[in-house]
Amino acid sequence: MKLTTTPRQDGFVFPAEFEPIREVWLAWPERRDNWRNKAKPAQQTFAAVANAISEVVTVSIAVSSPQYETARAMLNSSVKLVEMSFNDSWMRDIGPTVVVNSAGERRGVSWQFNAWGGEYNGLYEDWSDDDKVAAAVCDVMGIDHYRAPFVLEGGAIHTDGEGTLYTTEECLLSPGRNPSLSKPQIEAQLREYLGIDKVVWLPKGLFNDETDGHVDNLIHVVAPAKVVLSWTDDPFDPQYSLSREAFAALASQTDAKGRSIEVIKVPLPGPLFYSHEEANGIESSDGMNRQEGERLSASYANFLMVNGHIFLPLLDSDFDDIAKDILAKALPDYQIVGIPTREVLLGGGNIHCITQQIPA
């Protein structure tokens, strides 16, 4: 059922990803102007991610009816498949953000979705099916949902579950999202629909991120007042100044509880670029241009935390183990599960972008 109140009015808040999770949702990739070679390599990688997560928690995957049998054959028997219409497979952005109250009840938030920029700079023209996915997932789960009166994607927000929300100005203030809303008005909406008390604003996201700088590609909130930040020490890398601006922003602000924010720097992989074969395997379209030699927006921060596990994208043999070691030291209670996910990266995101956790 669609509710007419707001989560804040009803006492619901957005819990952290490191709190207990009951289920993880994905959507099966098939869009040929984003996934190369008829999406076959991407499907193998999505299946590897889903199967790994299914060892830890229930996994549900939205799938179109023509793709149902293909997906079923590639997935563990415990993975649930749900037939659903959608335009592309970024469940983080099209699925519901699930909020909880003190009694443990869950409700979903359906954000308005416009393909990361609508008429201004959206990546495809028809996003009508994507915009209905959050409500559809809530219906499948049997929970009520709120329909937010503004554009937002799940990848644009991170929370500590204790009142702090992290986001980037580059994304939330971009002309393609909510041009009629001021920064204070956007903050007020975030408070209302996520039950948070403070927004920590970072200037920009990762270099060349076509989502206009989603926060989940730059940082990951791994504990209260503790954040992983994508980093490079190469002064010639365009990410060099962006990461330093983010670090300065985190260092100059406190969280909702007044705590200083600890920052764990994790090196970027690469830099990585589209190969000739990869760029040529994608059917051309207006919104998503994939050029040989174009910089990929690659990041180890784009992992998923599920019940004591970190599902980490493996992207570069020179840096994979370094990233693993840093996270293992910072989060000794977590088991780190590395999954090679270059095929997801080629589509414009990574493990965090293709998953949406449902809190317990």
Side-chain angles (χ1 to χ4, degrees):
M1 186 178 75
K2 184 173 155 188
L3 303 161
T4 54
T5 49
T6 72
R8 182 174 277 279
Q9 287 169 352
D10 297 339
F12 282 76
V13 300
F14 178 28
E17 197 176 306
F18 48 79
E19 293 177 47
I21 286 169
R22 161 183 163 156
E23 186 177 10
V24 171
W25 275 77
L26 296 88
W28 190 251
E30 60 176 287
R31 194 183 175 101
R32 295 180 180 193
D33 61 353
N34 193 37
W35 307 105
R36 71 189 183 108
N37 301 355
K38 301 178 182 174
K40 293 289 184 246
Q43 289 171 357
Q44 289 177 335
T45 303
F46 272 62
V49 172
N51 289 337
I53 297 170
S54 76
E55 302 287 332
V56 174
V57 77
T58 300
V59 172
S60 295
I61 301 188
V63 62
S64 71
S65 62
Q67 287 287 332
Y68 189 94
E69 294 303 328
T70 300
R72 185 70 279 164
M74 296 171 73
L75 293 160
N76 289 352
S77 58
S78 63
V79 174
K80 298 178 187 173
L81 287 182
V82 181
E83 283 193 30
M84 198 177 286
S85 297
F86 48 91
N87 301 108
D88 203 2
S89 44
W90 303 103
M91 188 55 87
R92 175 70 45 182
D93 295 343
I94 61 177
T97 297
V98 176
V99 291
V100 298
N101 68 5
S102 56
E105 295 174 292
R106 285 185 300 265
R107 291 177 179 176
V109 180
S110 168
W111 310 109
Q112 292 184 16
F113 180 79
N114 71 355
W116 311 276
E119 312 260 314
Y120 178 75
N121 66 341
L123 298 187
Y124 40 82
E125 287 179 8
D126 180 8
W127 53 79
S128 53
D129 287 336
D130 278 348
D131 196 34
K132 297 172 189 153
V133 167
V137 168
C138 291
D139 288 346
V140 171
M141 289 171 53
I143 62 173
D144 295 336
H145 73 275
Y146 304 91
R147 175 62 168 174
F150 63 107
V151 174
L152 188 78
E153 305 93 32
I157 51 175
H158 257 306
T159 185
D160 64 357
E162 297 186 1
T164 316
L165 192 81
Y166 296 78
T167 191
T168 68
E169 293 174 345
E170 179 186 4
C171 183
L172 266 59
L173 306 185
S174 66
R177 299 300 199 290
N178 301 289
S180 63
L181 296 181
S182 66
K183 187 175 176 181
Q185 286 173 320
I186 289 171
E187 250 188 56
Q189 294 281 18
L190 294 170
R191 289 169 192 264
E192 205 58 43
Y193 281 86
L194 294 165
I196 51 102
D197 302 312
K198 180 172 184 176
V199 180
V200 172
W201 290 94
L202 306 180
K204 292 187 174 146
L206 212 62
F207 176 72
N208 211 32
D209 185 339
E210 61 192 359
T211 65
D212 303 309
H214 269 186
V215 77
D216 72 347
N217 219 16
L218 176 72
I219 69 163
H220 206 115
V221 182
V222 295
K226 192 169 181 177
V227 170
V228 165
L229 171 65
S230 299
W231 194 257
T232 177
D233 285 316
D234 177 5
F236 299 104
D237 191 315
Q239 185 58 36
Y240 182 86
S241 59
L242 300 177
S243 289
R244 275 152 186 77
E245 285 171 20
F247 183 83
L250 290 165
S252 66
Q253 298 175 80
T254 53
D255 70 6
K257 304 274 192 215
R259 296 171 291 211
S260 298
I261 300 162
E262 180 188 352
V263 179
I264 298 144
K265 297 171 183 172
V266 174
L268 290 171
L272 306 175
F273 305 90
Y274 283 101
S275 72
H276 175 77
E277 182 193 359
E278 288 164 347
N280 282 11
I282 299 163
E283 295 183 9
S284 63
S285 70
D286 292 340
M288 294 176 284
N289 289 314
R290 310 289 189 224
Q291 305 292 333
E292 177 184 354
E294 183 187 344
R295 170 85 173 251
L296 294 161
S297 197
S299 158
Y300 290 115
N302 206 303
F303 56 79
L304 179 71
M305 305 178 83
V306 184
N307 300 346
H309 295 72
I310 287 174
F311 294 94
L312 179 72
L314 300 182
L315 298 164
D316 180 352
S317 57
D318 289 342
F319 289 100
D320 290 346
D321 287 342
I322 296 170
K324 267 194 210 165
D325 290 346
I326 292 169
L327 291 172
K329 286 191 181 79
L331 299 160
D333 297 336
Y334 282 77
Q335 183 180 337
I336 297 172
V337 181
I339 308 168
T341 53
R342 183 176 175 96
E343 294 298 334
V344 184
L345 175 61
L346 296 176
N350 228 294
I351 292 176
H352 198 257
C353 304
I354 64 170
T355 54
Q356 180 60 281
Q357 75 276 359
I358 310 300

